[in-house]
Amino acid sequence: MCIFTCLPTFQKKEEKRAKLAEAAERRQKEAASRGILDVQSVQEKRKKKEKMEKQIATSGPPPEGGLRWTVS
């Protein structure tokens, strides 16, 4: 039985997985903010845009008699 002998290697594997997951998250954050000076304002604009799109989607079709586009 390797209950006591395998336990340290299992813990080491779990620590390694946690470190790798943390590094991957850090790389994703860095890649998402690459070239952006003010990350917070970009995130706020993105959230506002998503909120507007969601509101438009839930409001349904525009009422009759609204604006119409004509192409000539």
Side-chain angles (χ1 to χ4, degrees):
M1 293 201 164
C2 79
I3 295 173
F4 297 109
T5 58
C6 293
L7 189 59
T9 47
F10 178 74
Q11 290 174 346
K12 289 179 184 178
K13 288 181 182 179
E14 288 297 317
E15 289 177 15
K16 187 174 181 178
R17 286 184 191 138
K19 287 181 181 180
L20 288 172
E22 184 179 312
E25 287 179 17
R26 188 172 4 100
R27 283 193 304 272
Q28 285 179 341
K29 286 181 183 178
E30 289 174 358
S33 64
R34 187 172 292 136
I36 301 173
L37 297 177
D38 191 4
V39 178
Q40 187 175 3
S41 68
V42 172
Q43 290 175 346
E44 290 173 3
K45 288 179 184 178
R46 185 179 301 146
K47 286 179 183 178
K48 186 176 178 181
K49 182 179 178 184
E50 289 174 359
K51 184 178 177 182
M52 291 287 290
E53 289 175 351
K54 187 176 181 180
Q55 186 179 14
I56 290 170
T58 58
S59 67
E64 290 296 322
L67 296 175
R68 296 182 188 200
W69 292 91
T70 57
V71 179
S72 55

